Protein backbone atom coordinates (compact mmCIF):
# COMPACT_ATOMS: atom_id res chain seq x y z
CA UNK A 1 0.00 0.00 0.00
CA UNK A 2 1.21 3.51 -0.77
CA UNK A 3 0.00 7.03 -0.13
CA UNK A 4 0.64 10.52 -1.45
CA UNK A 5 0.80 13.05 1.36
CA UNK A 6 1.30 16.79 1.55
CA UNK A 7 3.44 18.57 4.12
CA UNK A 8 5.50 21.73 4.02
CA UNK A 9 4.08 22.70 0.63
CA UNK A 10 5.48 19.56 -1.01
CA UNK A 11 4.03 16.18 -1.93
CA UNK A 12 5.63 12.83 -1.08
CA UNK A 13 4.83 9.30 -2.27
CA UNK A 14 5.42 6.95 0.66
CA UNK A 15 5.10 3.29 1.65
CA UNK A 16 5.40 1.75 5.11
CA UNK A 17 9.06 1.65 6.12
CA UNK A 18 10.17 4.57 3.94
CA UNK A 19 12.39 7.30 5.40
CA UNK A 20 11.68 10.80 4.10
CA UNK A 21 13.16 14.24 4.71
CA UNK A 22 10.44 16.89 5.08
CA UNK A 23 10.47 20.59 5.87
CA UNK A 24 11.15 21.19 9.56
CA UNK A 25 8.26 20.22 11.84
CA UNK A 26 7.81 21.42 15.41
CA UNK A 27 8.19 17.98 17.04
CA UNK A 28 10.83 16.32 19.18
CA UNK A 29 12.95 13.35 18.08
CA UNK A 30 11.59 9.85 18.88
CA UNK A 31 8.00 11.11 18.91
CA UNK A 32 5.17 10.07 16.60
CA UNK A 33 3.42 12.24 14.06
CA UNK A 34 0.27 11.81 11.99
CA UNK A 35 -0.05 13.32 8.52
CA UNK A 36 -3.75 13.83 7.76
CA UNK A 37 -3.36 15.69 4.46
CA UNK A 38 -3.44 12.56 2.30
CA UNK A 39 -4.08 13.22 -1.38
CA UNK A 40 -4.34 9.58 -2.52
CA UNK A 41 -4.21 6.09 -1.04
CA UNK A 42 -3.83 2.95 -3.10
CA UNK A 43 -2.56 -0.49 -3.71
CA UNK A 44 -2.35 -2.73 -6.78
CA UNK A 45 -5.32 -1.75 -8.97
CA UNK A 46 -7.29 0.04 -6.23
CA UNK A 47 -6.60 3.75 -5.79
CA UNK A 48 -8.77 6.34 -4.06
CA UNK A 49 -8.21 10.04 -4.68
CA UNK A 50 -9.38 12.90 -2.52
CA UNK A 51 -10.89 16.24 -3.41
CA UNK A 52 -8.51 17.64 -2.22
CA UNK A 53 -7.85 15.15 0.62
CA UNK A 54 -9.04 11.59 1.25
CA UNK A 55 -11.52 11.69 4.15
CA UNK A 56 -10.44 9.57 7.10
CA UNK A 57 -7.05 8.62 5.67
CA UNK A 58 -3.86 9.22 7.65
CA UNK A 59 -0.18 8.35 7.52
CA UNK A 60 1.64 7.64 10.78
CA UNK A 61 5.35 8.24 11.19
CA UNK A 62 8.12 8.29 13.75
CA UNK A 63 10.42 11.31 13.93
CA UNK A 64 14.02 10.14 13.79
CA UNK A 65 15.77 13.50 14.07
CA UNK A 66 15.71 17.20 13.31
CA UNK A 67 18.74 18.56 11.50
CA UNK A 68 20.19 20.89 8.91
CA UNK A 69 21.15 20.11 5.33
CA UNK A 70 24.53 20.67 3.75
CA UNK A 71 25.69 24.25 3.43
CA UNK A 72 25.18 26.00 0.12
CA UNK A 73 27.08 29.15 -0.77
CA UNK A 74 25.29 32.13 -2.30
CA UNK A 75 27.46 34.78 -3.94
CA UNK A 76 25.91 37.99 -5.26
CA UNK A 77 27.94 40.63 -7.04
CA UNK A 78 27.62 43.60 -9.34
CA UNK A 79 30.12 43.64 -12.19
CA UNK A 80 32.55 46.56 -12.37
CA UNK A 81 31.17 48.07 -9.13
CA UNK A 82 33.44 46.33 -6.58
CA UNK A 83 30.35 45.16 -4.71
CA UNK A 84 29.93 41.56 -3.62
CA UNK A 85 28.36 39.58 -0.80
CA UNK A 86 28.95 35.97 0.19
CA UNK A 87 26.31 34.15 2.24
CA UNK A 88 25.74 30.58 3.37
CA UNK A 89 22.51 28.71 4.01
CA UNK A 90 21.60 25.40 5.68
CA UNK A 91 17.99 24.31 5.22
CA UNK A 92 16.45 22.73 8.35
CA UNK A 93 14.69 19.38 7.92
CA UNK A 94 12.94 16.63 9.87
CA UNK A 95 13.77 13.00 9.12
CA UNK A 96 10.64 10.82 9.41
CA UNK A 97 10.20 7.05 9.12
CA UNK A 98 6.75 6.02 7.87
CA UNK A 99 5.28 3.36 10.16
CA UNK A 100 1.70 2.85 8.91
CA UNK A 101 -0.77 3.97 6.28
CA UNK A 102 -4.39 4.08 7.41
CA UNK A 103 -6.86 4.11 4.51
CA UNK A 104 -10.34 5.59 4.81
CA UNK A 105 -12.95 3.12 5.97
Amino acid sequence: MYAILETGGKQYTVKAGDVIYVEKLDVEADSTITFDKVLAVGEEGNVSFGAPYVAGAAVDGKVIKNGKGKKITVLTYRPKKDSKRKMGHRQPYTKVEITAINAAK
Side-chain angles (χ1 to χ4, degrees):
M1 178 175 272
Y2 68 93
I4 300 174
L5 62 94
E6 176 185 345
T7 180
K10 298 177 179 67
Q11 298 174 3
Y12 301 90
T13 302
V14 296
K15 296 182 291 194
D18 283 355
V19 176
I20 59 173
Y21 293 87
V22 298
E23 293 293 320
K24 185 178 180 199
L25 302 171
D26 190 24
V27 291
E28 296 293 325
D30 296 326
S31 63
T32 58
I33 188 165
T34 302
F35 299 101
D36 56 353
K37 292 184 177 181
V38 179
L39 300 168
V41 175
E43 49 190 340
E44 192 73 26
N46 184 16
V47 181
S48 61
F49 297 98
Y53 305 117
V54 178
V59 175
D60 296 328
K62 179 184 175 198
V63 176
I64 298 173
K65 73 172 192 170
N66 291 312
K68 289 185 180 180
K70 291 191 174 189
K71 180 176 270 192
I72 61 167
T73 304
V74 181
L75 181 69
T76 59
Y77 75 101
R78 293 172 186 84
K80 298 178 269 200
K81 301 293 183 191
D82 194 29
S83 171
K84 55 189 157 208
R85 185 169 85 169
K86 183 178 179 180
M87 298 172 290
H89 177 75
R90 295 181 67 190
Q91 185 69 25
Y93 67 84
T94 300
K95 185 177 180 181
V96 178
E97 179 182 6
I98 303 301
T99 56
I101 298 174
N102 305 319
K105 300 294 182 201

mmCIF file of all heavy atoms in Angstrom, residues 9-62:
data_model
loop_
_atom_site.group_PDB
_atom_site.id
_atom_site.type_symbol
_atom_site.label_atom_id
_atom_site.label_comp_id
_atom_site.label_asym_id
_atom_site.label_seq_id
_atom_site.Cartn_x
_atom_site.Cartn_y
_atom_site.Cartn_z
ATOM 1 N N GLY A 9 4.232 22.203 1.983
ATOM 2 C CA GLY A 9 4.079 22.704 0.628
ATOM 3 C C GLY A 9 4.598 21.769 -0.439
ATOM 4 O O GLY A 9 4.654 22.129 -1.612
ATOM 5 N N LYS A 10 4.964 20.546 -0.069
ATOM 6 C CA LYS A 10 5.482 19.564 -1.014
ATOM 7 C C LYS A 10 4.672 18.286 -0.900
ATOM 8 O O LYS A 10 4.021 18.039 0.114
ATOM 9 C CB LYS A 10 6.954 19.283 -0.748
ATOM 10 C CG LYS A 10 7.831 20.497 -0.909
ATOM 11 C CD LYS A 10 9.262 20.161 -0.558
ATOM 12 C CE LYS A 10 10.175 21.339 -0.716
ATOM 13 N NZ LYS A 10 9.914 22.403 0.232
ATOM 14 N N GLN A 11 4.742 17.439 -1.922
ATOM 15 C CA GLN A 11 4.031 16.178 -1.926
ATOM 16 C C GLN A 11 5.028 15.039 -1.960
ATOM 17 O O GLN A 11 6.043 15.111 -2.649
ATOM 18 C CB GLN A 11 3.097 16.089 -3.139
ATOM 19 C CG GLN A 11 2.028 17.146 -3.140
ATOM 20 C CD GLN A 11 1.201 17.148 -4.402
ATOM 21 O OE1 GLN A 11 1.380 16.307 -5.279
ATOM 22 N NE2 GLN A 11 0.289 18.091 -4.504
ATOM 23 N N TYR A 12 4.744 13.975 -1.205
ATOM 24 C CA TYR A 12 5.632 12.827 -1.084
ATOM 25 C C TYR A 12 4.844 11.543 -1.320
ATOM 26 O O TYR A 12 3.752 11.381 -0.778
ATOM 27 C CB TYR A 12 6.261 12.768 0.307
ATOM 28 C CG TYR A 12 7.067 13.992 0.677
ATOM 29 C CD1 TYR A 12 6.476 15.071 1.317
ATOM 30 C CD2 TYR A 12 8.415 14.087 0.368
ATOM 31 C CE1 TYR A 12 7.202 16.193 1.660
ATOM 32 C CE2 TYR A 12 9.157 15.210 0.697
ATOM 33 C CZ TYR A 12 8.536 16.256 1.342
ATOM 34 O OH TYR A 12 9.268 17.368 1.670
ATOM 35 N N THR A 13 5.393 10.634 -2.109
ATOM 36 C CA THR A 13 4.828 9.304 -2.267
ATOM 37 C C THR A 13 5.554 8.386 -1.292
ATOM 38 O O THR A 13 6.784 8.276 -1.339
ATOM 39 C CB THR A 13 5.026 8.786 -3.701
ATOM 40 O OG1 THR A 13 4.417 9.714 -4.597
ATOM 41 C CG2 THR A 13 4.397 7.411 -3.872
ATOM 42 N N VAL A 14 4.797 7.734 -0.399
ATOM 43 C CA VAL A 14 5.415 6.949 0.664
ATOM 44 C C VAL A 14 4.779 5.564 0.763
ATOM 45 O O VAL A 14 3.631 5.357 0.375
ATOM 46 C CB VAL A 14 5.302 7.653 2.033
ATOM 47 C CG1 VAL A 14 6.063 8.951 2.035
ATOM 48 C CG2 VAL A 14 3.859 7.895 2.410
ATOM 49 N N LYS A 15 5.566 4.626 1.288
ATOM 50 C CA LYS A 15 5.104 3.295 1.653
ATOM 51 C C LYS A 15 5.534 3.068 3.095
ATOM 52 O O LYS A 15 6.383 3.793 3.620
ATOM 53 C CB LYS A 15 5.740 2.227 0.762
ATOM 54 C CG LYS A 15 5.366 2.326 -0.700
ATOM 55 C CD LYS A 15 5.997 1.227 -1.496
ATOM 56 C CE LYS A 15 7.499 1.484 -1.550
ATOM 57 N NZ LYS A 15 8.227 0.710 -2.530
ATOM 58 N N ALA A 16 4.996 2.059 3.739
ATOM 59 C CA ALA A 16 5.401 1.746 5.107
ATOM 60 C C ALA A 16 6.876 1.353 5.104
ATOM 61 O O ALA A 16 7.324 0.578 4.269
ATOM 62 C CB ALA A 16 4.549 0.615 5.665
ATOM 63 N N GLY A 17 7.628 1.923 6.025
ATOM 64 C CA GLY A 17 9.058 1.647 6.117
ATOM 65 C C GLY A 17 9.943 2.653 5.419
ATOM 66 O O GLY A 17 11.164 2.626 5.586
ATOM 67 N N ASP A 18 9.377 3.550 4.634
ATOM 68 C CA ASP A 18 10.168 4.568 3.945
ATOM 69 C C ASP A 18 10.679 5.614 4.940
ATOM 70 O O ASP A 18 10.045 5.897 5.950
ATOM 71 C CB ASP A 18 9.336 5.288 2.891
ATOM 72 C CG ASP A 18 9.137 4.460 1.633
ATOM 73 O OD1 ASP A 18 9.731 3.371 1.550
ATOM 74 O OD2 ASP A 18 8.389 4.911 0.752
ATOM 75 N N VAL A 19 11.828 6.193 4.628
ATOM 76 C CA VAL A 19 12.388 7.301 5.398
ATOM 77 C C VAL A 19 12.407 8.512 4.482
ATOM 78 O O VAL A 19 12.975 8.466 3.392
ATOM 79 C CB VAL A 19 13.807 6.971 5.904
ATOM 80 C CG1 VAL A 19 14.414 8.163 6.608
ATOM 81 C CG2 VAL A 19 13.775 5.767 6.825
ATOM 82 N N ILE A 20 11.753 9.599 4.921
ATOM 83 C CA ILE A 20 11.677 10.804 4.101
ATOM 84 C C ILE A 20 12.222 11.992 4.880
ATOM 85 O O ILE A 20 12.217 11.992 6.109
ATOM 86 C CB ILE A 20 10.233 11.083 3.621
ATOM 87 C CG1 ILE A 20 9.277 11.257 4.807
ATOM 88 C CG2 ILE A 20 9.741 9.998 2.695
ATOM 89 C CD1 ILE A 20 7.880 11.690 4.411
ATOM 90 N N TYR A 21 12.693 12.979 4.142
ATOM 91 C CA TYR A 21 13.158 14.236 4.710
ATOM 92 C C TYR A 21 12.135 15.302 4.331
ATOM 93 O O TYR A 21 11.937 15.577 3.151
ATOM 94 C CB TYR A 21 14.532 14.610 4.154
ATOM 95 C CG TYR A 21 15.627 13.667 4.579
ATOM 96 C CD1 TYR A 21 15.902 12.503 3.855
ATOM 97 C CD2 TYR A 21 16.390 13.934 5.703
ATOM 98 C CE1 TYR A 21 16.898 11.646 4.251
ATOM 99 C CE2 TYR A 21 17.391 13.076 6.098
ATOM 100 C CZ TYR A 21 17.642 11.930 5.371
ATOM 101 O OH TYR A 21 18.636 11.077 5.778
ATOM 102 N N VAL A 22 11.469 15.887 5.323
ATOM 103 C CA VAL A 22 10.439 16.891 5.079
ATOM 104 C C VAL A 22 10.900 18.222 5.652
ATOM 105 O O VAL A 22 11.871 18.288 6.411
ATOM 106 C CB VAL A 22 9.081 16.474 5.693
ATOM 107 C CG1 VAL A 22 8.585 15.191 5.069
ATOM 108 C CG2 VAL A 22 9.170 16.338 7.187
ATOM 109 N N GLU A 23 10.181 19.284 5.290
ATOM 110 C CA GLU A 23 10.468 20.589 5.875
ATOM 111 C C GLU A 23 10.325 20.495 7.388
ATOM 112 O O GLU A 23 9.528 19.711 7.893
ATOM 113 C CB GLU A 23 9.505 21.638 5.320
ATOM 114 C CG GLU A 23 9.681 21.929 3.849
ATOM 115 C CD GLU A 23 10.997 22.605 3.523
ATOM 116 O OE1 GLU A 23 11.427 23.493 4.282
ATOM 117 O OE2 GLU A 23 11.599 22.236 2.514
ATOM 118 N N LYS A 24 11.078 21.307 8.112
ATOM 119 C CA LYS A 24 11.148 21.187 9.562
ATOM 120 C C LYS A 24 9.771 21.259 10.216
ATOM 121 O O LYS A 24 8.989 22.166 9.945
ATOM 122 C CB LYS A 24 12.041 22.283 10.134
ATOM 123 C CG LYS A 24 12.244 22.126 11.619
ATOM 124 C CD LYS A 24 13.168 23.165 12.165
ATOM 125 C CE LYS A 24 13.317 22.929 13.658
ATOM 126 N NZ LYS A 24 13.804 24.087 14.342
ATOM 127 N N LEU A 25 9.507 20.277 11.079
ATOM 128 C CA LEU A 25 8.264 20.221 11.840
ATOM 129 C C LEU A 25 8.570 20.516 13.297
ATOM 130 O O LEU A 25 9.675 20.244 13.782
ATOM 131 C CB LEU A 25 7.636 18.827 11.723
ATOM 132 C CG LEU A 25 7.317 18.365 10.301
ATOM 133 C CD1 LEU A 25 6.924 16.901 10.307
ATOM 134 C CD2 LEU A 25 6.226 19.219 9.695
ATOM 135 N N ASP A 26 7.606 21.052 14.012
ATOM 136 C CA ASP A 26 7.806 21.425 15.409
ATOM 137 C C ASP A 26 7.502 20.224 16.321
ATOM 138 O O ASP A 26 6.529 20.235 17.067
ATOM 139 C CB ASP A 26 6.924 22.617 15.759
ATOM 140 C CG ASP A 26 7.259 23.214 17.111
ATOM 141 O OD1 ASP A 26 8.406 23.028 17.559
ATOM 142 O OD2 ASP A 26 6.386 23.862 17.710
ATOM 143 N N VAL A 27 8.333 19.187 16.220
ATOM 144 C CA VAL A 27 8.189 17.981 17.039
ATOM 145 C C VAL A 27 9.571 17.548 17.523
ATOM 146 O O VAL A 27 10.585 17.870 16.918
ATOM 147 C CB VAL A 27 7.523 16.832 16.264
ATOM 148 C CG1 VAL A 27 6.075 17.129 15.979
ATOM 149 C CG2 VAL A 27 8.256 16.544 14.978
ATOM 150 N N GLU A 28 9.583 16.818 18.617
ATOM 151 C CA GLU A 28 10.831 16.322 19.176
ATOM 152 C C GLU A 28 11.215 15.000 18.512
ATOM 153 O O GLU A 28 10.366 14.290 17.965
ATOM 154 C CB GLU A 28 10.680 16.099 20.691
ATOM 155 C CG GLU A 28 10.422 17.370 21.471
ATOM 156 C CD GLU A 28 11.608 18.310 21.460
ATOM 157 O OE1 GLU A 28 12.760 17.841 21.477
ATOM 158 O OE2 GLU A 28 11.380 19.536 21.421
ATOM 159 N N ALA A 29 12.485 14.633 18.595
ATOM 160 C CA ALA A 29 12.952 13.350 18.076
ATOM 161 C C ALA A 29 12.341 12.222 18.902
ATOM 162 O O ALA A 29 12.012 12.383 20.072
ATOM 163 C CB ALA A 29 14.472 13.288 18.129
ATOM 164 N N ASP A 30 12.167 11.061 18.284
ATOM 165 C CA ASP A 30 11.590 9.854 18.884
ATOM 166 C C ASP A 30 10.121 10.013 19.254
ATOM 167 O O ASP A 30 9.608 9.264 20.077
ATOM 168 C CB ASP A 30 12.386 9.398 20.111
ATOM 169 C CG ASP A 30 13.797 8.980 19.752
ATOM 170 O OD1 ASP A 30 13.981 8.438 18.648
ATOM 171 O OD2 ASP A 30 14.705 9.202 20.564
ATOM 172 N N SER A 31 9.426 10.977 18.676
ATOM 173 C CA SER A 31 7.996 11.109 18.906
ATOM 174 C C SER A 31 7.260 10.654 17.643
ATOM 175 O O SER A 31 7.861 10.449 16.597
ATOM 176 C CB SER A 31 7.628 12.547 19.259
ATOM 177 O OG SER A 31 7.924 13.403 18.185
ATOM 178 N N THR A 32 5.955 10.491 17.752
ATOM 179 C CA THR A 32 5.172 10.066 16.599
ATOM 180 C C THR A 32 4.429 11.258 16.025
ATOM 181 O O THR A 32 4.137 12.227 16.719
ATOM 182 C CB THR A 32 4.159 8.979 16.991
ATOM 183 O OG1 THR A 32 3.306 9.491 18.012
ATOM 184 C CG2 THR A 32 4.878 7.739 17.498
ATOM 185 N N ILE A 33 4.123 11.169 14.754
ATOM 186 C CA ILE A 33 3.418 12.240 14.061
ATOM 187 C C ILE A 33 2.416 11.607 13.102
ATOM 188 O O ILE A 33 2.654 10.523 12.578
ATOM 189 C CB ILE A 33 4.404 13.167 13.329
ATOM 190 C CG1 ILE A 33 3.679 14.384 12.773
ATOM 191 C CG2 ILE A 33 5.152 12.442 12.247
ATOM 192 C CD1 ILE A 33 4.598 15.501 12.363
ATOM 193 N N THR A 34 1.293 12.278 12.913
ATOM 194 C CA THR A 34 0.272 11.806 11.987
ATOM 195 C C THR A 34 0.058 12.858 10.911
ATOM 196 O O THR A 34 -0.237 14.008 11.209
ATOM 197 C CB THR A 34 -1.055 11.540 12.732
ATOM 198 O OG1 THR A 34 -0.810 10.575 13.751
ATOM 199 C CG2 THR A 34 -2.100 11.006 11.785
ATOM 200 N N PHE A 35 0.213 12.445 9.664
ATOM 201 C CA PHE A 35 -0.053 13.321 8.524
ATOM 202 C C PHE A 35 -1.480 13.039 8.069
ATOM 203 O O PHE A 35 -1.796 11.928 7.648
ATOM 204 C CB PHE A 35 0.925 13.039 7.376
ATOM 205 C CG PHE A 35 2.366 13.262 7.735
ATOM 206 C CD1 PHE A 35 3.200 12.202 8.032
ATOM 207 C CD2 PHE A 35 2.890 14.541 7.764
ATOM 208 C CE1 PHE A 35 4.525 12.405 8.351
ATOM 209 C CE2 PHE A 35 4.219 14.754 8.087
ATOM 210 C CZ PHE A 35 5.032 13.678 8.379
ATOM 211 N N ASP A 36 -2.360 14.046 8.150
ATOM 212 C CA ASP A 36 -3.746 13.829 7.758
ATOM 213 C C ASP A 36 -4.086 14.441 6.397
ATOM 214 O O ASP A 36 -5.181 14.251 5.893
ATOM 215 C CB ASP A 36 -4.702 14.363 8.821
ATOM 216 C CG ASP A 36 -4.469 15.820 9.144
ATOM 217 O OD1 ASP A 36 -3.485 16.385 8.652
ATOM 218 O OD2 ASP A 36 -5.276 16.386 9.898
ATOM 219 N N LYS A 37 -3.149 15.142 5.794
ATOM 220 C CA LYS A 37 -3.362 15.692 4.462
ATOM 221 C C LYS A 37 -2.912 14.664 3.430
ATOM 222 O O LYS A 37 -1.846 14.775 2.827
ATOM 223 C CB LYS A 37 -2.605 17.007 4.286
ATOM 224 C CG LYS A 37 -3.141 18.133 5.129
ATOM 225 C CD LYS A 37 -2.414 19.416 4.828
ATOM 226 C CE LYS A 37 -3.004 20.573 5.612
ATOM 227 N NZ LYS A 37 -2.307 21.829 5.300
ATOM 228 N N VAL A 38 -3.742 13.653 3.222
ATOM 229 C CA VAL A 38 -3.436 12.558 2.304
ATOM 230 C C VAL A 38 -4.200 12.795 1.014
ATOM 231 O O VAL A 38 -5.428 12.893 1.012
ATOM 232 C CB VAL A 38 -3.814 11.201 2.929
ATOM 233 C CG1 VAL A 38 -3.511 10.075 1.962
ATOM 234 C CG2 VAL A 38 -3.068 10.997 4.234
ATOM 235 N N LEU A 39 -3.469 12.925 -0.092
ATOM 236 C CA LEU A 39 -4.082 13.216 -1.381
ATOM 237 C C LEU A 39 -4.602 11.965 -2.071
ATOM 238 O O LEU A 39 -5.596 12.011 -2.783
ATOM 239 C CB LEU A 39 -3.073 13.920 -2.292
ATOM 240 C CG LEU A 39 -2.541 15.243 -1.763
ATOM 241 C CD1 LEU A 39 -1.360 15.703 -2.590
ATOM 242 C CD2 LEU A 39 -3.619 16.283 -1.760
ATOM 243 N N ALA A 40 -3.922 10.825 -1.886
ATOM 244 C CA ALA A 40 -4.337 9.578 -2.525
ATOM 245 C C ALA A 40 -3.818 8.404 -1.707
ATOM 246 O O ALA A 40 -2.755 8.473 -1.100
ATOM 247 C CB ALA A 40 -3.800 9.492 -3.948
ATOM 248 N N VAL A 41 -4.603 7.335 -1.703
ATOM 249 C CA VAL A 41 -4.213 6.090 -1.042
ATOM 250 C C VAL A 41 -4.507 4.963 -2.023
ATOM 251 O O VAL A 41 -5.571 4.946 -2.647
ATOM 252 C CB VAL A 41 -5.010 5.866 0.264
ATOM 253 C CG1 VAL A 41 -4.681 4.516 0.868
ATOM 254 C CG2 VAL A 41 -4.734 6.960 1.256
ATOM 255 N N GLY A 42 -3.569 4.033 -2.159
ATOM 256 C CA GLY A 42 -3.830 2.950 -3.105
ATOM 257 C C GLY A 42 -2.946 1.755 -2.921
ATOM 258 O O GLY A 42 -1.962 1.782 -2.183
ATOM 259 N N GLU A 43 -3.354 0.710 -3.595
ATOM 260 C CA GLU A 43 -2.555 -0.488 -3.714
ATOM 261 C C GLU A 43 -2.775 -1.011 -5.122
ATOM 262 O O GLU A 43 -3.405 -0.340 -5.933
ATOM 263 C CB GLU A 43 -2.920 -1.510 -2.638
ATOM 264 C CG GLU A 43 -4.384 -1.787 -2.478
ATOM 265 C CD GLU A 43 -4.672 -2.610 -1.234
ATOM 266 O OE1 GLU A 43 -3.754 -3.263 -0.732
ATOM 267 O OE2 GLU A 43 -5.814 -2.600 -0.791
ATOM 268 N N GLU A 44 -2.298 -2.176 -5.429
ATOM 269 C CA GLU A 44 -2.347 -2.726 -6.778
ATOM 270 C C GLU A 44 -3.771 -2.703 -7.346
ATOM 271 O O GLU A 44 -4.630 -3.456 -6.918
ATOM 272 C CB GLU A 44 -1.819 -4.155 -6.770
ATOM 273 C CG GLU A 44 -1.550 -4.732 -8.141
ATOM 274 C CD GLU A 44 -0.318 -4.161 -8.794
ATOM 275 O OE1 GLU A 44 0.595 -3.719 -8.072
ATOM 276 O OE2 GLU A 44 -0.271 -4.147 -10.025
ATOM 277 N N GLY A 45 -4.043 -1.803 -8.288
ATOM 278 C CA GLY A 45 -5.323 -1.754 -8.971
ATOM 279 C C GLY A 45 -6.458 -1.082 -8.218
ATOM 280 O O GLY A 45 -7.573 -1.019 -8.729
ATOM 281 N N ASN A 46 -6.223 -0.583 -7.009
ATOM 282 C CA ASN A 46 -7.291 0.037 -6.235
ATOM 283 C C ASN A 46 -6.764 1.322 -5.625
ATOM 284 O O ASN A 46 -6.073 1.292 -4.615
ATOM 285 C CB ASN A 46 -7.771 -0.922 -5.134
ATOM 286 C CG ASN A 46 -8.943 -0.357 -4.361
ATOM 287 O OD1 ASN A 46 -9.585 0.586 -4.795
ATOM 288 N ND2 ASN A 46 -9.209 -0.939 -3.212
ATOM 289 N N VAL A 47 -7.100 2.455 -6.238
ATOM 290 C CA VAL A 47 -6.601 3.747 -5.788
ATOM 291 C C VAL A 47 -7.786 4.654 -5.499
ATOM 292 O O VAL A 47 -8.739 4.706 -6.266
ATOM 293 C CB VAL A 47 -5.695 4.404 -6.858
ATOM 294 C CG1 VAL A 47 -5.169 5.728 -6.382
ATOM 295 C CG2 VAL A 47 -4.551 3.485 -7.228
ATOM 296 N N SER A 48 -7.733 5.360 -4.362
ATOM 297 C CA SER A 48 -8.770 6.343 -4.065
ATOM 298 C C SER A 48 -8.129 7.719 -3.952
ATOM 299 O O SER A 48 -7.130 7.888 -3.256
ATOM 300 C CB SER A 48 -9.514 5.982 -2.780
ATOM 301 O OG SER A 48 -8.627 5.959 -1.695
ATOM 302 N N PHE A 49 -8.710 8.669 -4.660
ATOM 303 C CA PHE A 49 -8.209 10.040 -4.685
ATOM 304 C C PHE A 49 -9.142 10.934 -3.888
ATOM 305 O O PHE A 49 -10.339 10.704 -3.834
ATOM 306 C CB PHE A 49 -8.109 10.563 -6.122
ATOM 307 C CG PHE A 49 -7.140 9.812 -6.969
ATOM 308 C CD1 PHE A 49 -7.584 8.823 -7.823
ATOM 309 C CD2 PHE A 49 -5.789 10.080 -6.897
ATOM 310 C CE1 PHE A 49 -6.688 8.116 -8.607
ATOM 311 C CE2 PHE A 49 -4.884 9.381 -7.672
ATOM 312 C CZ PHE A 49 -5.342 8.388 -8.536
ATOM 313 N N GLY A 50 -8.588 11.961 -3.281
ATOM 314 C CA GLY A 50 -9.385 12.901 -2.522
ATOM 315 C C GLY A 50 -9.671 14.156 -3.318
ATOM 316 O O GLY A 50 -9.106 14.377 -4.379
ATOM 317 N N ALA A 51 -10.569 14.971 -2.769
ATOM 318 C CA ALA A 51 -10.887 16.239 -3.412
ATOM 319 C C ALA A 51 -10.976 17.321 -2.353
ATOM 320 O O ALA A 51 -12.054 17.638 -1.925
ATOM 321 C CB ALA A 51 -12.206 16.127 -4.170
ATOM 322 N N PRO A 52 -9.907 17.907 -1.874
ATOM 323 C CA PRO A 52 -8.511 17.639 -2.217
ATOM 324 C C PRO A 52 -7.874 16.525 -1.393
ATOM 325 O O PRO A 52 -6.862 15.977 -1.785
ATOM 326 C CB PRO A 52 -7.818 18.964 -1.898
ATOM 327 C CG PRO A 52 -8.598 19.509 -0.755
ATOM 328 C CD PRO A 52 -10.024 19.075 -1.002
ATOM 329 N N TYR A 53 -8.448 16.173 -0.219
ATOM 330 C CA TYR A 53 -7.852 15.149 0.624
ATOM 331 C C TYR A 53 -8.800 13.979 0.791
ATOM 332 O O TYR A 53 -10.026 14.134 0.762
ATOM 333 C CB TYR A 53 -7.498 15.718 2.008
ATOM 334 C CG TYR A 53 -6.613 16.939 1.951
ATOM 335 C CD1 TYR A 53 -7.040 18.166 2.428
ATOM 336 C CD2 TYR A 53 -5.347 16.859 1.395
ATOM 337 C CE1 TYR A 53 -6.230 19.283 2.364
ATOM 338 C CE2 TYR A 53 -4.533 17.977 1.314
ATOM 339 C CZ TYR A 53 -4.971 19.179 1.800
ATOM 340 O OH TYR A 53 -4.165 20.281 1.721
ATOM 341 N N VAL A 54 -8.240 12.787 1.012
ATOM 342 C CA VAL A 54 -9.043 11.587 1.251
ATOM 343 C C VAL A 54 -9.577 11.663 2.675
ATOM 344 O O VAL A 54 -8.808 11.793 3.629
ATOM 345 C CB VAL A 54 -8.196 10.311 1.051
ATOM 346 C CG1 VAL A 54 -9.039 9.078 1.344
ATOM 347 C CG2 VAL A 54 -7.628 10.259 -0.350
ATOM 348 N N ALA A 55 -10.892 11.586 2.825
ATOM 349 C CA ALA A 55 -11.517 11.689 4.148
ATOM 350 C C ALA A 55 -11.199 10.454 4.979
ATOM 351 O O ALA A 55 -11.366 9.323 4.521
ATOM 352 C CB ALA A 55 -13.022 11.844 4.003
ATOM 353 N N GLY A 56 -10.713 10.672 6.177
ATOM 354 C CA GLY A 56 -10.438 9.571 7.097
ATOM 355 C C GLY A 56 -9.095 8.894 6.910
ATOM 356 O O GLY A 56 -8.726 8.031 7.699
ATOM 357 N N ALA A 57 -8.348 9.245 5.898
ATOM 358 C CA ALA A 57 -7.049 8.617 5.667
ATOM 359 C C ALA A 57 -5.964 9.368 6.431
ATOM 360 O O ALA A 57 -6.037 10.582 6.613
ATOM 361 C CB ALA A 57 -6.714 8.613 4.183
ATOM 362 N N ALA A 58 -4.971 8.614 6.906
ATOM 363 C CA ALA A 58 -3.864 9.223 7.646
ATOM 364 C C ALA A 58 -2.613 8.383 7.454
ATOM 365 O O ALA A 58 -2.686 7.183 7.184
ATOM 366 C CB ALA A 58 -4.197 9.341 9.121
ATOM 367 N N VAL A 59 -1.477 9.034 7.594
ATOM 368 C CA VAL A 59 -0.180 8.351 7.521
ATOM 369 C C VAL A 59 0.533 8.604 8.837
ATOM 370 O O VAL A 59 0.693 9.746 9.258
ATOM 371 C CB VAL A 59 0.657 8.868 6.334
ATOM 372 C CG1 VAL A 59 2.033 8.243 6.329
ATOM 373 C CG2 VAL A 59 -0.057 8.605 5.015
ATOM 374 N N ASP A 60 0.947 7.528 9.509
ATOM 375 C CA ASP A 60 1.644 7.639 10.781
ATOM 376 C C ASP A 60 3.143 7.513 10.552
ATOM 377 O O ASP A 60 3.594 6.721 9.719
ATOM 378 C CB ASP A 60 1.191 6.538 11.746
ATOM 379 C CG ASP A 60 -0.284 6.669 12.099
ATOM 380 O OD1 ASP A 60 -0.775 7.812 12.135
ATOM 381 O OD2 ASP A 60 -0.935 5.635 12.332
ATOM 382 N N GLY A 61 3.908 8.279 11.318
ATOM 383 C CA GLY A 61 5.351 8.240 11.187
ATOM 384 C C GLY A 61 6.034 8.461 12.517
ATOM 385 O O GLY A 61 5.431 8.940 13.476
ATOM 386 N N LYS A 62 7.308 8.091 12.556
ATOM 387 C CA LYS A 62 8.124 8.288 13.747
ATOM 388 C C LYS A 62 9.235 9.254 13.389
ATOM 389 O O LYS A 62 9.948 9.063 12.401
ATOM 390 C CB LYS A 62 8.716 6.958 14.205
ATOM 391 C CG LYS A 62 9.594 7.085 15.421
ATOM 392 C CD LYS A 62 10.232 5.753 15.784
ATOM 393 C CE LYS A 62 11.199 5.967 16.924
ATOM 394 N NZ LYS A 62 12.140 4.884 17.050
#
